Amino acid sequence: MTFLRRRLRATIATLGALAIVVPLGWLWWSSLLPSSYDLATMGYVDLGGGPPGMDMPAMDHGTPVADLTGDVAGEPDVSYTFTVHQDGGDYTVNRQSPGPLLKATVGDLVEVHLTNDNVPAGITLHWHGVDVPNAEDGVAGVTQDAVMPGQTFTYRWVATRPGTYWYHSHQVSHSQVAGGLLGPILIEPLHAEPGATDEVVLLHDYGQGTSINGTMGISTLPARPGQRVRLRLINTDSGGATAWVTGAPFVVAAIDGTDVYGPNPLSDTVVEIPAGGRADLLVTVPPTGVRIDASGASTLVLGKDPSPGTLPATPQTVFDPLSYGTPAPIGFDPAQADRSFDYRIGRRPGFLDGKPGLWWTINGHLFPNVPMYAVAEGDVVRFHLENNSSVVHPMHLHGHHAVVLARDGVAATGSPWWVDSLDIRPDETYDIAFVADNPGIWMDHCHNLPHAAQGLVAHLMYEGVTSSFRVGGAAGNEPE
Ligand code: C2O
Ligand code: CU
């Protein structure tokens, strides 16, 4: 009797264990990624959002990504040769980091010859914030194969919008970008403001905190009183950056490469810059000088230091683009959206490529069952972004600029706020919209690059476009 009962108990325990182990084993097994895969056809999740009765886009035929080069025939107006070198965890472009400034004027045909000197994992260059044709976007496994040691790849694109941007690798980007494989881009308008000078202020943490153009601590630039300086701040880190101006009022002249309409002067205000984002601050240098403090770690002084020897306290007021500047037309009607998507960020335990962990989810799905947001060229597209996790996510859509409609349901009232890099803080929601005017397959991911490597990656996919490249495989493509 006792024996039978004991056996029964043992059987129940075994069955119980099996009930846990078998589904776990299945979850583990089903999470394993194939050795190479096509982002456009795997893991497609129908997210709805399209017109009723819309079919899944045919992804097996259409224009290959590799053909979406744009019209780039002829002699380039500016040409660069960038050679990338790796030394342990450090990366340089032409033996410097940040890499050389890529400078062009609107209308210029830009050519960049990228050479991989010795990076075994391969490299690419992505032009963050520049809405280039898809084949020039520089994402390994999506728009090209990684450039292996000894190889060269030539990018060609036309600089169509003025503004502050940056370039960085999009192969194993979570380690290559942190290690310095990056540089600034400045695209001048056709008619620059006379008398104003440009200063690139590229922020990057090489391990000791935020540096300015690679220098820790205080950098001083000569400036004469009355000089107007446009400070082009670029946050190249995976975390947010802050900046504040001491000694003079300033205006936020541009965000993510788009000029703010009717910006009003600010003082005692801290500007937050999302990972990947940019902010142009315009100041007039007073006789007593002006300084810009970045993340409390490094300082740029123009002329004299108005606060020598002390770090001015971080201002209490935080700049809010939602209500800054003057409204202006945006060129389309977001109320007439052809597609409306949700991009809900969460987190849950599971397996990613066989590894157990807490992974990011998009609309409840774990990578590789990541959403593919399907659009047709010409669509007005709306996204409802939602952060149901406890950390900020700087979301970055490639190839497009979106306008912010609302935050937490509160409508934007200032200048049109165009973004390519947008911080979604815990429990926040954003509604954004854009016109699908750049056919291709575009990443739409978190620019906290370790988060992207942990599955916070989706794609915007145009109907009639088919992929040309695969992740993994012999090409070794590993975009995150
Ligand atoms: Cu700045 Cu997908 O990149
Ligand atoms: Cu994130």
Side-chain angles (χ1 to χ4, degrees):
M1 195 57 195
T2 348
F3 170 73
L4 269 182
R5 205 177 291 155
R6 221 182 287 138
R7 267 203 52 179
L8 191 61
R9 222 181 278 145
T11 311
I12 289 169
T14 310
L15 283 175
L18 277 176
I20 295 170
V21 168
V22 169
L24 268 183
W26 162 255
L27 280 176
W28 170 81
W29 184 79
S30 65
S31 83
L32 292 178
L33 295 170
S35 68
S36 92
Y37 54 95
D38 179 348
L39 273 166
T41 52
M42 82 171 308
Y44 178 89
V45 177
D46 187 0
L47 291 157
M54 183 192 102
D55 285 332
M56 202 177 117
M59 291 163 173
D60 52 348
H61 59 86
T63 309
V65 164
D67 289 357
L68 296 168
T69 58
D71 181 10
V72 284
E75 278 298 303
D77 299 289
V78 290
S79 182
Y80 290 87
T81 299
F82 288 165
T83 302
V84 173
H85 184 83
Q86 179 179 2
D87 184 3
D90 299 333
Y91 297 82
T92 52
V93 182
N94 296 358
R95 296 281 174 172
Q96 64 179 81
S97 180
L101 172 67
L102 192 167
K103 199 169 177 179
T105 303
V106 165
D108 280 354
L109 174 58
V110 177
E111 180 181 73
V112 178
H113 302 289
L114 171 67
T115 298
N116 180 348
D117 180 15
N118 71 339
V119 185
I123 54 170
T124 66
L125 285 182
H126 167 62
W127 320 98
H128 186 116
V130 185
D131 298 334
V132 298
N134 198 221
E136 309 301 313
D137 199 42
V139 181
V142 181
T143 68
Q144 68 173 94
D145 283 331
V147 181
M148 289 300 163
Q151 291 181 346
T152 294
F153 186 92
T154 298
Y155 298 92
R156 285 185 145 228
W157 43 267
V158 175
T160 52
R161 307 163 78 253
T164 311
Y165 309 96
W166 62 297
Y167 59 84
H168 65 76
S169 177
H170 224 303
Q171 162 77 347
V172 206
S173 54
H174 70 281
S175 57
Q176 294 191 358
V177 178
L181 211 176
L182 55 93
I185 302 175
L186 197 172
I187 299 174
E188 301 262 35
L190 270 181
H191 306 286
E193 185 190 330
T197 50
D198 285 306
E199 277 321 321
V200 168
V201 185
L202 185 146
L203 309 178
H204 192 74
D205 184 347
Y206 290 92
Q208 297 111 41
T210 306
S211 64
I212 292 180
N213 300 330
T215 303
M216 284 302 296
I218 300 185
S219 320
T220 305
L221 289 171
R224 46 177 174 71
Q227 187 176 337
R228 286 170 69 69
V229 182
R230 189 172 176 125
L231 300 150
R232 297 169 173 271
L233 279 77
I234 309 171
N235 180 7
T236 66
D237 283 318
S238 272
T242 56
W244 63 100
V245 176
T246 305
F250 67 99
V251 301
V252 178
I255 297 171
D256 284 0
T258 306
D259 279 357
V260 172
Y261 195 74
N264 35 297
L266 300 167
S267 45
D268 285 321
T269 301
V270 62
V271 177
E272 294 177 336
I273 308 166
R278 287 87 59 218
D280 291 9
L281 310 183
L282 193 60
V283 291
T284 303
V285 180
T288 44
V290 63
R291 63 183 273 166
I292 299 87
D293 284 287
S295 299
S298 288
T299 306
L300 183 66
V301 172
L302 301 174
K304 286 191 202 134
D305 187 345
S307 174
T310 44
L311 172 67
T314 314
Q316 297 292 303
T317 308
V318 178
F319 171 67
D320 188 359
L322 197 70
S323 55
Y324 183 68
T326 311
I330 58 166
F332 68 99
D333 182 4
Q336 305 291 318
D338 300 289
R339 322 257 167 160
S340 295
F341 296 116
D342 280 349
Y343 196 129
R344 286 179 281 110
I345 301 163
R347 204 172 196 196
R348 69 170 158 87
F351 293 97
L352 187 109
D353 200 14
K355 287 188 283 293
L358 257 186
W359 303 109
W360 302 108
T361 58
I362 301 170
N363 297 352
H365 300 285
L366 277 177
F367 193 88
N369 295 314
V370 283
M372 188 61 83
Y373 296 103
V375 298
E377 190 173 358
D379 279 351
V380 169
V381 184
R382 284 178 74 121
F383 267 88
H384 177 74
L385 299 144
E386 205 175 291
N387 182 354
N388 303 312
S389 76
S390 57
V391 293
V392 62
H393 298 289
M395 300 309 295
H396 172 52
L397 169 63
H398 287 214
H400 302 75
H401 281 76
V403 71
V404 173
L405 304 174
R407 179 179 61 219
D408 295 335
V410 178
T413 54
S415 161
W417 176 16
W418 291 95
V419 292
D420 55 60
S421 308
L422 179 65
D423 267 347
I424 322 286
R425 295 180 185 80
D427 300 321
E428 265 184 351
T429 69
Y430 270 93
D431 290 283
I432 63 172
F434 61 91
V435 177
D437 57 3
N438 197 2
I441 302 175
W442 301 99
M443 277 208 172
D444 187 358
H445 66 95
C446 180
H447 221 281
N448 183 327
L449 297 174
H451 290 182
Q454 294 157 11
L456 198 27
V457 178
H459 293 80
L460 181 77
M461 166 92 197
Y462 278 65
E463 290 178 13
V465 173
T466 174
S467 44
S468 306
F469 304 97
R470 294 173 75 81
V471 175
N477 295 323
E478 206 187 311
E480 305 311 334

